[in-house]
Amino acid sequence: GNSGTGNFDANGQIVTVTGLTTISGAAYLASTNTQSFNGGLTVSGGTFTGSSGTVNASDVTLSSGTLTAPTTTLHVTGNWANSGTFSANGGTVNFNGTTGTQTLNSGGTGAAFQFNNITHTAAALLQVTGNALQVNGTLTNSGTGNFDANGQAVTVNGLTTVSTGSYLASTATQTLSGGLTVSGGIFTGSSGDV
């Protein structure tokens, strides 16, 4: 992990870390190449700055500090928990866990917690937990797994697309301002407004 006062600059190189990567001071400057955090990525006081390279992580935890996503795609195979600051940077967060349940706790709907685009492209259940979810771009469920709003309000300003799997609406309001396209998947309403 990076807990000192100096920055770690990937400098255009591919970086793969097997264990947990913790940034608790200074900054991790991602590069134009792929950064893979197979043991998870935790930002607890420092800054992770994505670039134009893809970032892969198992669990993503922001307990303080700032995570700026890459302008491309941040792939997450595990859980997402944010109580710090997240900057979507115009990119996409792709939840692609293959088994079980992935939890998504956005931290809230304020500016520090909003996503640009979210895709769910694999077989795991993606379940919103703890806080409402704000997506300023698109939300796409194209994996065989379901997207479960799980009693949380979900707001999507762009198009919501369900091409496989199911979108399980909740008892809270689902605001799909950019429209809803169901093309091979299933949208299941609940007692909340859509």
Side-chain angles (χ1 to χ4, degrees), residues 16-47:
T16 301
V17 180
T18 304
L20 175 64
T21 299
T22 301
I23 301 163
S24 58
Y28 184 110
L29 306 172
S31 79
T32 55
N33 235 316
T34 301
Q35 311 293 294
S36 296
F37 306 103
N38 299 332
L41 175 61
T42 296
V43 180
S44 61
T47 301

PDB file of all heavy atoms in Angstrom, residues 16-47:
ATOM      1  N   THR A  16       0.166  -5.189 -11.713  1.00  0.00           N
ATOM      2  CA  THR A  16      -0.710  -6.227 -11.161  1.00  0.00           C
ATOM      3  C   THR A  16      -0.284  -6.486  -9.727  1.00  0.00           C
ATOM      4  O   THR A  16       0.880  -6.772  -9.466  1.00  0.00           O
ATOM      5  CB  THR A  16      -0.615  -7.534 -11.976  1.00  0.00           C
ATOM      6  OG1 THR A  16      -0.988  -7.253 -13.333  1.00  0.00           O
ATOM      7  CG2 THR A  16      -1.542  -8.594 -11.408  1.00  0.00           C
ATOM      8  N   VAL A  17      -1.242  -6.379  -8.808  1.00  0.00           N
ATOM      9  CA  VAL A  17      -0.986  -6.622  -7.386  1.00  0.00           C
ATOM     10  C   VAL A  17      -1.894  -7.767  -6.945  1.00  0.00           C
ATOM     11  O   VAL A  17      -3.113  -7.691  -7.119  1.00  0.00           O
ATOM     12  CB  VAL A  17      -1.250  -5.365  -6.532  1.00  0.00           C
ATOM     13  CG1 VAL A  17      -0.968  -5.643  -5.058  1.00  0.00           C
ATOM     14  CG2 VAL A  17      -0.447  -4.180  -7.040  1.00  0.00           C
ATOM     15  N   THR A  18      -1.303  -8.817  -6.374  1.00  0.00           N
ATOM     16  CA  THR A  18      -2.071  -9.984  -5.955  1.00  0.00           C
ATOM     17  C   THR A  18      -2.795  -9.746  -4.640  1.00  0.00           C
ATOM     18  O   THR A  18      -3.954 -10.104  -4.484  1.00  0.00           O
ATOM     19  CB  THR A  18      -1.148 -11.212  -5.833  1.00  0.00           C
ATOM     20  OG1 THR A  18      -0.501 -11.399  -7.086  1.00  0.00           O
ATOM     21  CG2 THR A  18      -1.925 -12.454  -5.475  1.00  0.00           C
ATOM     22  N   GLY A  19      -2.140  -9.119  -3.667  1.00  0.00           N
ATOM     23  CA  GLY A  19      -2.744  -8.850  -2.359  1.00  0.00           C
ATOM     24  C   GLY A  19      -3.542  -7.561  -2.363  1.00  0.00           C
ATOM     25  O   GLY A  19      -3.666  -6.876  -3.380  1.00  0.00           O
ATOM     26  N   LEU A  20      -4.073  -7.200  -1.212  1.00  0.00           N
ATOM     27  CA  LEU A  20      -4.841  -5.971  -1.046  1.00  0.00           C
ATOM     28  C   LEU A  20      -3.957  -4.748  -1.269  1.00  0.00           C
ATOM     29  O   LEU A  20      -2.852  -4.666  -0.733  1.00  0.00           O
ATOM     30  CB  LEU A  20      -5.451  -5.918   0.362  1.00  0.00           C
ATOM     31  CG  LEU A  20      -6.197  -4.632   0.732  1.00  0.00           C
ATOM     32  CD1 LEU A  20      -7.431  -4.454  -0.152  1.00  0.00           C
ATOM     33  CD2 LEU A  20      -6.590  -4.663   2.202  1.00  0.00           C
ATOM     34  N   THR A  21      -4.435  -3.804  -2.052  1.00  0.00           N
ATOM     35  CA  THR A  21      -3.754  -2.527  -2.255  1.00  0.00           C
ATOM     36  C   THR A  21      -4.477  -1.478  -1.436  1.00  0.00           C
ATOM     37  O   THR A  21      -5.679  -1.259  -1.621  1.00  0.00           O
ATOM     38  CB  THR A  21      -3.762  -2.121  -3.744  1.00  0.00           C
ATOM     39  OG1 THR A  21      -3.084  -3.118  -4.492  1.00  0.00           O
ATOM     40  CG2 THR A  21      -3.087  -0.772  -3.949  1.00  0.00           C
ATOM     41  N   THR A  22      -3.747  -0.837  -0.507  1.00  0.00           N
ATOM     42  CA  THR A  22      -4.327   0.193   0.344  1.00  0.00           C
ATOM     43  C   THR A  22      -3.602   1.504   0.110  1.00  0.00           C
ATOM     44  O   THR A  22      -2.377   1.563   0.198  1.00  0.00           O
ATOM     45  CB  THR A  22      -4.224  -0.200   1.836  1.00  0.00           C
ATOM     46  OG1 THR A  22      -4.908  -1.446   2.027  1.00  0.00           O
ATOM     47  CG2 THR A  22      -4.832   0.867   2.732  1.00  0.00           C
ATOM     48  N   ILE A  23      -4.359   2.545  -0.169  1.00  0.00           N
ATOM     49  CA  ILE A  23      -3.803   3.881  -0.357  1.00  0.00           C
ATOM     50  C   ILE A  23      -4.288   4.720   0.816  1.00  0.00           C
ATOM     51  O   ILE A  23      -5.469   5.057   0.902  1.00  0.00           O
ATOM     52  CB  ILE A  23      -4.245   4.475  -1.695  1.00  0.00           C
ATOM     53  CG1 ILE A  23      -3.788   3.555  -2.830  1.00  0.00           C
ATOM     54  CG2 ILE A  23      -3.697   5.888  -1.869  1.00  0.00           C
ATOM     55  CD1 ILE A  23      -4.479   3.775  -4.133  1.00  0.00           C
ATOM     56  N   SER A  24      -3.383   5.004   1.744  1.00  0.00           N
ATOM     57  CA  SER A  24      -3.773   5.732   2.945  1.00  0.00           C
ATOM     58  C   SER A  24      -3.036   7.050   3.075  1.00  0.00           C
ATOM     59  O   SER A  24      -3.181   7.740   4.075  1.00  0.00           O
ATOM     60  CB  SER A  24      -3.542   4.865   4.191  1.00  0.00           C
ATOM     61  OG  SER A  24      -2.194   4.477   4.276  1.00  0.00           O
ATOM     62  N   GLY A  25      -2.266   7.398   2.083  1.00  0.00           N
ATOM     63  CA  GLY A  25      -1.562   8.671   2.070  1.00  0.00           C
ATOM     64  C   GLY A  25      -1.023   8.915   0.685  1.00  0.00           C
ATOM     65  O   GLY A  25      -0.891   7.987  -0.118  1.00  0.00           O
ATOM     66  N   ALA A  26      -0.758  10.113   0.350  1.00  0.00           N
ATOM     67  CA  ALA A  26      -0.222  10.493  -0.958  1.00  0.00           C
ATOM     68  C   ALA A  26      -1.164  10.032  -2.060  1.00  0.00           C
ATOM     69  O   ALA A  26      -2.373  10.007  -1.880  1.00  0.00           O
ATOM     70  CB  ALA A  26       1.187   9.967  -1.142  1.00  0.00           C
ATOM     71  N   ALA A  27      -0.610   9.650  -3.220  1.00  0.00           N
ATOM     72  CA  ALA A  27      -1.459   9.332  -4.370  1.00  0.00           C
ATOM     73  C   ALA A  27      -0.921   8.152  -5.154  1.00  0.00           C
ATOM     74  O   ALA A  27       0.285   7.940  -5.239  1.00  0.00           O
ATOM     75  CB  ALA A  27      -1.562  10.548  -5.287  1.00  0.00           C
ATOM     76  N   TYR A  28      -1.847   7.397  -5.744  1.00  0.00           N
ATOM     77  CA  TYR A  28      -1.532   6.370  -6.725  1.00  0.00           C
ATOM     78  C   TYR A  28      -1.975   6.957  -8.053  1.00  0.00           C
ATOM     79  O   TYR A  28      -3.160   7.260  -8.251  1.00  0.00           O
ATOM     80  CB  TYR A  28      -2.297   5.080  -6.436  1.00  0.00           C
ATOM     81  CG  TYR A  28      -1.947   3.940  -7.372  1.00  0.00           C
ATOM     82  CD1 TYR A  28      -1.233   2.849  -6.909  1.00  0.00           C
ATOM     83  CD2 TYR A  28      -2.328   3.954  -8.711  1.00  0.00           C
ATOM     84  CE1 TYR A  28      -0.905   1.793  -7.754  1.00  0.00           C
ATOM     85  CE2 TYR A  28      -2.000   2.911  -9.555  1.00  0.00           C
ATOM     86  CZ  TYR A  28      -1.294   1.830  -9.077  1.00  0.00           C
ATOM     87  OH  TYR A  28      -0.968   0.787  -9.917  1.00  0.00           O
ATOM     88  N   LEU A  29      -1.034   7.142  -8.966  1.00  0.00           N
ATOM     89  CA  LEU A  29      -1.321   7.695 -10.279  1.00  0.00           C
ATOM     90  C   LEU A  29      -1.359   6.547 -11.274  1.00  0.00           C
ATOM     91  O   LEU A  29      -0.320   6.018 -11.671  1.00  0.00           O
ATOM     92  CB  LEU A  29      -0.261   8.733 -10.663  1.00  0.00           C
ATOM     93  CG  LEU A  29      -0.046   9.851  -9.628  1.00  0.00           C
ATOM     94  CD1 LEU A  29       1.154  10.701 -10.009  1.00  0.00           C
ATOM     95  CD2 LEU A  29      -1.300  10.698  -9.483  1.00  0.00           C
ATOM     96  N   ALA A  30      -2.574   6.140 -11.655  1.00  0.00           N
ATOM     97  CA  ALA A  30      -2.725   5.039 -12.610  1.00  0.00           C
ATOM     98  C   ALA A  30      -2.232   5.506 -13.967  1.00  0.00           C
ATOM     99  O   ALA A  30      -2.035   6.690 -14.200  1.00  0.00           O
ATOM    100  CB  ALA A  30      -4.184   4.611 -12.678  1.00  0.00           C
ATOM    101  N   SER A  31      -2.046   4.556 -14.849  1.00  0.00           N
ATOM    102  CA  SER A  31      -1.442   4.914 -16.124  1.00  0.00           C
ATOM    103  C   SER A  31      -2.388   4.674 -17.278  1.00  0.00           C
ATOM    104  O   SER A  31      -3.551   4.319 -17.107  1.00  0.00           O
ATOM    105  CB  SER A  31      -0.161   4.093 -16.326  1.00  0.00           C
ATOM    106  OG  SER A  31      -0.479   2.786 -16.747  1.00  0.00           O
ATOM    107  N   THR A  32      -1.843   4.836 -18.457  1.00  0.00           N
ATOM    108  CA  THR A  32      -2.572   4.556 -19.680  1.00  0.00           C
ATOM    109  C   THR A  32      -2.641   3.058 -19.946  1.00  0.00           C
ATOM    110  O   THR A  32      -3.283   2.639 -20.893  1.00  0.00           O
ATOM    111  CB  THR A  32      -1.895   5.256 -20.871  1.00  0.00           C
ATOM    112  OG1 THR A  32      -0.521   4.843 -20.903  1.00  0.00           O
ATOM    113  CG2 THR A  32      -1.955   6.767 -20.713  1.00  0.00           C
ATOM    114  N   ASN A  33      -2.005   2.267 -19.096  1.00  0.00           N
ATOM    115  CA  ASN A  33      -2.024   0.818 -19.213  1.00  0.00           C
ATOM    116  C   ASN A  33      -2.893   0.218 -18.113  1.00  0.00           C
ATOM    117  O   ASN A  33      -3.352   0.918 -17.210  1.00  0.00           O
ATOM    118  CB  ASN A  33      -0.594   0.257 -19.137  1.00  0.00           C
ATOM    119  CG  ASN A  33      -0.266  -0.606 -20.330  1.00  0.00           C
ATOM    120  OD1 ASN A  33      -1.078  -1.429 -20.733  1.00  0.00           O
ATOM    121  ND2 ASN A  33       0.912  -0.410 -20.889  1.00  0.00           N
ATOM    122  N   THR A  34      -3.115  -1.079 -18.144  1.00  0.00           N
ATOM    123  CA  THR A  34      -4.001  -1.761 -17.208  1.00  0.00           C
ATOM    124  C   THR A  34      -3.397  -1.840 -15.808  1.00  0.00           C
ATOM    125  O   THR A  34      -2.232  -2.191 -15.638  1.00  0.00           O
ATOM    126  CB  THR A  34      -4.313  -3.181 -17.724  1.00  0.00           C
ATOM    127  OG1 THR A  34      -4.917  -3.071 -19.014  1.00  0.00           O
ATOM    128  CG2 THR A  34      -5.239  -3.922 -16.791  1.00  0.00           C
ATOM    129  N   GLN A  35      -4.236  -1.550 -14.809  1.00  0.00           N
ATOM    130  CA  GLN A  35      -3.886  -1.668 -13.398  1.00  0.00           C
ATOM    131  C   GLN A  35      -4.821  -2.730 -12.807  1.00  0.00           C
ATOM    132  O   GLN A  35      -6.045  -2.571 -12.887  1.00  0.00           O
ATOM    133  CB  GLN A  35      -4.097  -0.348 -12.657  1.00  0.00           C
ATOM    134  CG  GLN A  35      -3.486   0.875 -13.334  1.00  0.00           C
ATOM    135  CD  GLN A  35      -1.974   0.846 -13.350  1.00  0.00           C
ATOM    136  OE1 GLN A  35      -1.342   0.924 -12.313  1.00  0.00           O
ATOM    137  NE2 GLN A  35      -1.406   0.729 -14.537  1.00  0.00           N
ATOM    138  N   SER A  36      -4.271  -3.807 -12.229  1.00  0.00           N
ATOM    139  CA  SER A  36      -5.092  -4.893 -11.683  1.00  0.00           C
ATOM    140  C   SER A  36      -4.801  -5.076 -10.204  1.00  0.00           C
ATOM    141  O   SER A  36      -3.648  -5.265  -9.807  1.00  0.00           O
ATOM    142  CB  SER A  36      -4.817  -6.199 -12.431  1.00  0.00           C
ATOM    143  OG  SER A  36      -5.207  -6.085 -13.783  1.00  0.00           O
ATOM    144  N   PHE A  37      -5.862  -5.027  -9.404  1.00  0.00           N
ATOM    145  CA  PHE A  37      -5.761  -5.170  -7.947  1.00  0.00           C
ATOM    146  C   PHE A  37      -6.577  -6.400  -7.551  1.00  0.00           C
ATOM    147  O   PHE A  37      -7.729  -6.298  -7.141  1.00  0.00           O
ATOM    148  CB  PHE A  37      -6.255  -3.896  -7.261  1.00  0.00           C
ATOM    149  CG  PHE A  37      -5.548  -2.665  -7.766  1.00  0.00           C
ATOM    150  CD1 PHE A  37      -6.164  -1.802  -8.655  1.00  0.00           C
ATOM    151  CD2 PHE A  37      -4.242  -2.398  -7.374  1.00  0.00           C
ATOM    152  CE1 PHE A  37      -5.506  -0.680  -9.139  1.00  0.00           C
ATOM    153  CE2 PHE A  37      -3.564  -1.286  -7.848  1.00  0.00           C
ATOM    154  CZ  PHE A  37      -4.201  -0.424  -8.744  1.00  0.00           C
ATOM    155  N   ASN A  38      -5.938  -7.569  -7.689  1.00  0.00           N
ATOM    156  CA  ASN A  38      -6.633  -8.833  -7.502  1.00  0.00           C
ATOM    157  C   ASN A  38      -7.052  -9.082  -6.058  1.00  0.00           C
ATOM    158  O   ASN A  38      -7.983  -9.841  -5.812  1.00  0.00           O
ATOM    159  CB  ASN A  38      -5.772  -9.980  -8.021  1.00  0.00           C
ATOM    160  CG  ASN A  38      -5.477  -9.825  -9.505  1.00  0.00           C
ATOM    161  OD1 ASN A  38      -6.248  -9.227 -10.243  1.00  0.00           O
ATOM    162  ND2 ASN A  38      -4.341 -10.344  -9.942  1.00  0.00           N
ATOM    163  N   GLY A  39      -6.398  -8.455  -5.105  1.00  0.00           N
ATOM    164  CA  GLY A  39      -6.752  -8.604  -3.698  1.00  0.00           C
ATOM    165  C   GLY A  39      -7.645  -7.486  -3.196  1.00  0.00           C
ATOM    166  O   GLY A  39      -7.962  -7.415  -2.017  1.00  0.00           O
ATOM    167  N   GLY A  40      -8.051  -6.590  -4.081  1.00  0.00           N
ATOM    168  CA  GLY A  40      -8.925  -5.481  -3.709  1.00  0.00           C
ATOM    169  C   GLY A  40      -8.188  -4.158  -3.691  1.00  0.00           C
ATOM    170  O   GLY A  40      -6.948  -4.105  -3.656  1.00  0.00           O
ATOM    171  N   LEU A  41      -8.957  -3.078  -3.746  1.00  0.00           N
ATOM    172  CA  LEU A  41      -8.432  -1.715  -3.720  1.00  0.00           C
ATOM    173  C   LEU A  41      -9.155  -0.953  -2.623  1.00  0.00           C
ATOM    174  O   LEU A  41     -10.375  -0.824  -2.643  1.00  0.00           O
ATOM    175  CB  LEU A  41      -8.658  -1.032  -5.074  1.00  0.00           C
ATOM    176  CG  LEU A  41      -8.279   0.441  -5.186  1.00  0.00           C
ATOM    177  CD1 LEU A  41      -6.781   0.642  -4.925  1.00  0.00           C
ATOM    178  CD2 LEU A  41      -8.668   0.987  -6.554  1.00  0.00           C
ATOM    179  N   THR A  42      -8.371  -0.459  -1.638  1.00  0.00           N
ATOM    180  CA  THR A  42      -8.922   0.338  -0.543  1.00  0.00           C
ATOM    181  C   THR A  42      -8.270   1.706  -0.553  1.00  0.00           C
ATOM    182  O   THR A  42      -7.041   1.812  -0.568  1.00  0.00           O
ATOM    183  CB  THR A  42      -8.661  -0.346   0.820  1.00  0.00           C
ATOM    184  OG1 THR A  42      -9.357  -1.593   0.842  1.00  0.00           O
ATOM    185  CG2 THR A  42      -9.130   0.515   1.977  1.00  0.00           C
ATOM    186  N   VAL A  43      -9.103   2.746  -0.560  1.00  0.00           N
ATOM    187  CA  VAL A  43      -8.619   4.123  -0.442  1.00  0.00           C
ATOM    188  C   VAL A  43      -9.083   4.620   0.913  1.00  0.00           C
ATOM    189  O   VAL A  43     -10.281   4.750   1.163  1.00  0.00           O
ATOM    190  CB  VAL A  43      -9.143   5.025  -1.575  1.00  0.00           C
ATOM    191  CG1 VAL A  43      -8.623   6.445  -1.410  1.00  0.00           C
ATOM    192  CG2 VAL A  43      -8.760   4.457  -2.935  1.00  0.00           C
ATOM    193  N   SER A  44      -8.104   4.867   1.802  1.00  0.00           N
ATOM    194  CA  SER A  44      -8.440   5.254   3.182  1.00  0.00           C
ATOM    195  C   SER A  44      -7.630   6.470   3.615  1.00  0.00           C
ATOM    196  O   SER A  44      -6.971   6.445   4.639  1.00  0.00           O
ATOM    197  CB  SER A  44      -8.195   4.077   4.128  1.00  0.00           C
ATOM    198  OG  SER A  44      -6.831   3.702   4.101  1.00  0.00           O
ATOM    199  N   GLY A  45      -7.683   7.509   2.798  1.00  0.00           N
ATOM    200  CA  GLY A  45      -6.998   8.738   3.184  1.00  0.00           C
ATOM    201  C   GLY A  45      -6.146   9.343   2.101  1.00  0.00           C
ATOM    202  O   GLY A  45      -5.810  10.506   2.137  1.00  0.00           O
ATOM    203  N   GLY A  46      -5.802   8.578   1.102  1.00  0.00           N
ATOM    204  CA  GLY A  46      -5.010   9.092  -0.006  1.00  0.00           C
ATOM    205  C   GLY A  46      -5.887   9.334  -1.213  1.00  0.00           C
ATOM    206  O   GLY A  46      -7.100   9.508  -1.109  1.00  0.00           O
ATOM    207  N   THR A  47      -5.252   9.308  -2.382  1.00  0.00           N
ATOM    208  CA  THR A  47      -5.959   9.554  -3.631  1.00  0.00           C
ATOM    209  C   THR A  47      -5.540   8.516  -4.664  1.00  0.00           C
ATOM    210  O   THR A  47      -4.353   8.293  -4.870  1.00  0.00           O
ATOM    211  CB  THR A  47      -5.614  10.962  -4.166  1.00  0.00           C
ATOM    212  OG1 THR A  47      -5.976  11.923  -3.185  1.00  0.00           O
ATOM    213  CG2 THR A  47      -6.347  11.258  -5.454  1.00  0.00           C
TER     214      THR A  47
END
